[in-house]
């Protein structure tokens, strides 16, 4: 491999007869005057003079061709491999044309590729185009991952990509971006497995119910012994919000999340009616009573003065009248608006539990998987993240001021579909607390991992604070433009984004100071949604057919004149109603598949099981 053409302090052209250059490949230039600079391949091409297509736009120009001829290449006959490469550090002067280029040993490029050992960081995948470094890879970095390619598992064939978690103190927060089918959720699963390995306290909000770690992936060399560190909870079943602990501001925020922004009049209703240590029931009853009082205010005094009420009814009427005298100026529509929002939260079971299980699991350094529908997750996340962040901040502030305080651990907040939690165009319940953590969380040891298919829809302030970005296949022009703006992706890498294979990603990290091209490793566990829906459909039909045959096993052979008794038998055994037409249609379908033999006799159609010996 040699340098050809005109060189600069930043870029060179390399030629080879045999080696087929790969994108992002690292090479060393034998230029002693520049202390053997390292370069990265950013564009590749195979050239044959007999097929001169598009030379005006390629990296082959007249100067490169002239150099090739001068150093002995037969450009009329040879198929020549060419590469455009960029120096990692700008040279003091242009690289000497004609210099030899070679593959490096791992020790020469270790500082560019690996910052920590596998035991200290997140082993996320394998760095692409590092296969030539395998022979010189130290034992501690060899055989760390398995990679899934073209449906098959293979062993590590390059340098493992290890993310230094401890560097988040200086470069906080991670973004995971990619379109549908790009491997984004798969990559997020791998990161969670690595957080579990390092026992870093984490909370993930899972709207798709897919962060389940019970199912092992077949064929993996490595097992996943950390399931006991996963703590799944569902809102309304194991966790919720303790209403008596809420301040007026908390209640306003929750009600806003439940049904949209509260008007000033609605906020006034909450401020007037909410009392310290209220339960959801007592606050709801007060709202309901006020609604009734406002609706019946013209009749209340008449009923009290009529003398027709029982003692219990009279007490009730007087209580409503007193409530009306205290809060009768509040608009009925505003009170009903607050009433409706509170009822929605109560119906969702939000106030049946508290967050103590999450706090306990966090202190035990577990991964808490919070599951629920997206709207209830937004509401619960607002309260939970705010409470956890406040406790961690108070502990750190107390430490700084020399005051005693109970320890509260640092933690990571992870969300999928992050653009729903912190949208760019409008306010959302969790947006303010996520923005605060994005800007201030580093000081207190609270970090974010935000995944989304649409980075252009994520709040700009938060996006700017994500110091590490994993960029999977992205197709939309607006998203690509944003990622180009927010990362150090080159124009060539930006053009490749729509065509990345599922599981491949560019990692733009302030820790490495450049973009690294990786393939995410195979996860130890699989998502419960991995089954192909059409395969699921076929499996379900096969199960129904098998159950049908087993149920009528003793009735074969079956004549179509006797289908009524078969239908009655099926109805009794299966627990669902069958009629003659359904049974006949099902038997004909089974006959069409060869699962049942159908023959026409002189008097009837006969169905029987196929002869196994035949």
């Amino acid at each position: 491999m040699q340098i050809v053409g005109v060189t600069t302090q930043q870029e060179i052209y390399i030629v080879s007869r045999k080696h087929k250059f790969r994108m992002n490949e690292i090479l060393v230039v034998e230029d002693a005057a520049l202390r053997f600079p390292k370069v990265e391949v950013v564009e590749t091409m195979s050239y044959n003079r007999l097929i001169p297509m598009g030379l005006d736009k390629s990296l082959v120009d007249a100067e490169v061709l002239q150099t090739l001829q001068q150093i002995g290449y037969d450009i009329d006959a040879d198929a020549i491999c060419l590469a455009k490469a960029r120096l990692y550090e700008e040279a003091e002067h242009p690289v000497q044309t004609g210099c030899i280029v070679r593959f490096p040993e791992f020790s020469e490029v270790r500082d560019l590729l690996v910052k920590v050992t596998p035991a200290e960081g997140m082993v996320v995948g394998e760095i692409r185009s590092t296969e030539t470094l395998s022979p010189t890879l130290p034992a501690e970095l060899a055989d760390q991952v398995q990679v899934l390619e073209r449906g098959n598992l293979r062993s590590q064939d390059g340098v493992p990509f290890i993310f230094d978690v401890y560097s988040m103190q200086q470069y906080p927060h991670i973004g995971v971006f990619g379109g549908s089918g790009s491997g984004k959720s798969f990559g997020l699963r791998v990161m969670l497995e690595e957080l579990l390995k390092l026992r870093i306290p984490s909370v993930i909000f899972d709207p798709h119910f897919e962060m389940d770690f019970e199912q092992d992936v077949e064929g993996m060399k490595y097992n996943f012994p950390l399931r006991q560190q996963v703590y799944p909870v569902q809102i309304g079943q194991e966790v919720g919000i303790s209403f008596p602990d809420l301040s007026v501001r908390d209640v306003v925020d929750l009600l806003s999340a439940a049904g949209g922004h509260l008007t000033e009049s609605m906020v006034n209703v909450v401020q007037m009616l909410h009392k310290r240590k209220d339960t959801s029931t007592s606050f709801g009853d007060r709202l309901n009573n006020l609604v009734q009082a406002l609706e019946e205010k013209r009749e209340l005094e008449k009923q009290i003065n009529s003398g027709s009420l029982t003692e219990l009814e009279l007490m009730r009427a007087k209580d409503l009248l007193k409530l009306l005298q205290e809060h009768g100026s509040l608009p009925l529509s505003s009170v009903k608006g607050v009433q409706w929002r509170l009822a929605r939260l109560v119906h969702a079971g939000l106030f049946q539990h508290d967050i103590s299980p999450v706090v306990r699991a966090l202190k035990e350094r577990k991964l808490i998987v919070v599951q629920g529908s997206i709207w209830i997750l937004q509401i619960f996340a607002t309260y939970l993240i705010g409470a956890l962040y406040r406790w961690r901040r108070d502990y750190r502030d107390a430490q700084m001021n020399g005051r005693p305080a109970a320890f509260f651990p640092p933690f990571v907040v992870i969300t999928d579909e992050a653009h729903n939690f912190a949208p760019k165009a409008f306010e959302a319940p969790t947006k303010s607390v996520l923005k605060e953590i994005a800007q201030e969380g580093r000081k207190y040891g609270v970090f974010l991992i935000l995944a989304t298919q649409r980075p252009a829809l994520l709040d700009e302030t938060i996006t700017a604070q994500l110091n590490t970005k994993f960029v999977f296949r992205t197709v939309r022009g607006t998203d690509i433009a944003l990622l180009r703006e927010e990362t150090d992706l080159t124009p060539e890498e930006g053009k490749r984004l729509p065509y990345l294979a599922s599981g491949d990603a560019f990692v733009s990290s302030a820790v490495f100071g450049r973009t690294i091209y990786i393939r995410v490793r195979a996860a130890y566990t699989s998502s419960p949604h991995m089954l192909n829906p059409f395969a699921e459909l076929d499996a379900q039909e096969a199960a129904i057919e098998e159950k049908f045959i087993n149920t009528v096993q003793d009735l074969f052979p079956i004549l179509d004149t006797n289908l009524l008794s078969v239908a009655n038998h099926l109805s009794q055994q299966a627990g669902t109603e069958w009629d003659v037409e359904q049974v006949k249609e099902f038997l004909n379908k089974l006959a069409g598949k060869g699962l049942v033999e159908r023959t026409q006799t002189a008097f009837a159609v006969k169905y029987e099981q196929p002869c196994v010996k035949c």
Side-chain angles (χ1 to χ4, degrees), residues 221-233:
K221 294 180 185 177
Y222 319 102
N223 58 9
F224 186 66
L226 301 170
R227 288 186 182 85
Q228 69 276 11
Q229 289 297 110
V230 181
Y231 186 67
V233 293

Side-chain angles (χ1 to χ4, degrees), residues 21-248:
F21 296 101
R22 289 164 295 184
M23 296 294 290
N24 305 104
E25 188 173 22
I26 300 175
L27 301 169
V28 176
V29 179
E30 291 285 338
D31 189 338
L34 293 176
R35 297 177 295 279
F36 306 101
K38 304 173 189 69
V39 299
E40 181 182 25
V41 174
V42 296
E43 189 176 345
T44 63
M45 180 179 179
S46 180
Y47 172 73
N48 191 306
R49 183 63 172 266
L50 299 178
I51 314 175
M53 296 179 64
L55 295 186
D56 56 320
K57 297 181 180 178
S58 74
L59 57 86
V60 181
D61 57 24
E63 292 170 333
V64 172
L65 292 176
Q66 183 179 358
T67 308
L68 290 174
Q69 289 175 322
Q70 290 173 352
I71 62 177
Y73 282 86
D74 185 354
I75 61 174
D76 290 324
D78 293 344
I80 301 167
C81 297
L82 290 154
K84 179 180 178 181
R86 183 176 293 117
L87 277 70
Y88 277 100
E89 295 180 5
E90 185 176 82
E92 299 168 2
H93 54 78
V95 180
Q96 180 65 46
T97 298
C99 280
I100 298 298
V101 179
R102 62 173 174 84
F103 299 120
E105 292 189 358
F106 176 73
S107 58
E108 295 179 275
V109 295
R110 179 174 186 136
D111 60 326
L112 297 175
L113 301 176
V114 177
K115 303 296 182 182
V116 291
T117 65
E120 299 169 325
M122 296 166 58
V123 186
V124 178
E126 179 185 79
I127 301 176
R128 285 291 202 182
S129 304
T130 56
E131 292 86 349
T132 56
L133 298 172
S134 292
T136 58
L137 206 61
E140 66 175 0
L141 297 177
D143 203 23
Q144 290 293 320
V145 300
Q146 283 180 279
V147 177
L148 187 66
E149 273 189 321
R150 299 180 180 89
N152 298 313
L153 282 170
R154 66 164 175 83
S155 298
Q156 177 183 321
D157 196 24
V159 179
F161 177 76
I162 308 170
F163 181 76
D164 183 7
V165 177
Y166 285 82
S167 68
M168 292 179 74
Q169 169 63 22
Q170 186 176 1
Y171 303 109
H173 317 311
I174 298 173
V176 184
F177 307 125
S180 179
S182 65
K184 170 183 64 68
S185 296
F186 189 82
L188 192 61
R189 171 177 291 274
V190 168
M191 291 182 192
L192 294 178
E193 290 177 352
E194 292 299 315
L195 290 174
L196 283 166
K197 180 191 76 175
L198 297 170
R199 298 189 66 229
I200 294 176
S202 308
V203 181
I204 179 169
F205 297 93
D206 178 22
H208 302 307
F209 292 81
E210 65 180 349
M211 289 305 166
D212 180 284
F213 297 87
E214 292 299 316
Q215 184 66 43
D216 287 324
V217 173
E218 294 183 6
M220 291 290 292
K221 294 180 185 177
Y222 319 102
N223 58 9
F224 186 66
L226 301 170
R227 288 186 182 85
Q228 69 276 11
Q229 289 297 110
V230 181
Y231 186 67
V233 293
Q234 285 194 36
I235 301 169
Q237 295 187 19
E238 293 89 8
V239 294
I241 297 174
S242 175
F243 199 90
D245 295 337
L246 298 178
S247 65
V248 172

Side-chain angles (χ1 to χ4, degrees), residues 488-508:
D488 58 349
L489 286 173
T490 65
E492 293 86 358
E493 289 166 339
K495 292 175 184 177
R496 291 166 60 191
L497 273 180
Y499 309 104
L500 292 183
S502 180
D504 284 359
F506 290 116
V507 182
S508 176

Side-chain angles (χ1 to χ4, degrees), residues 249-268:
R249 180 179 176 181
D250 293 333
V251 175
V252 169
D253 290 341
L254 286 174
L255 294 175
S256 297
H261 179 69
L262 295 187
T263 63
E264 290 186 12
S265 180
M266 290 181 185
V267 173
N268 189 42

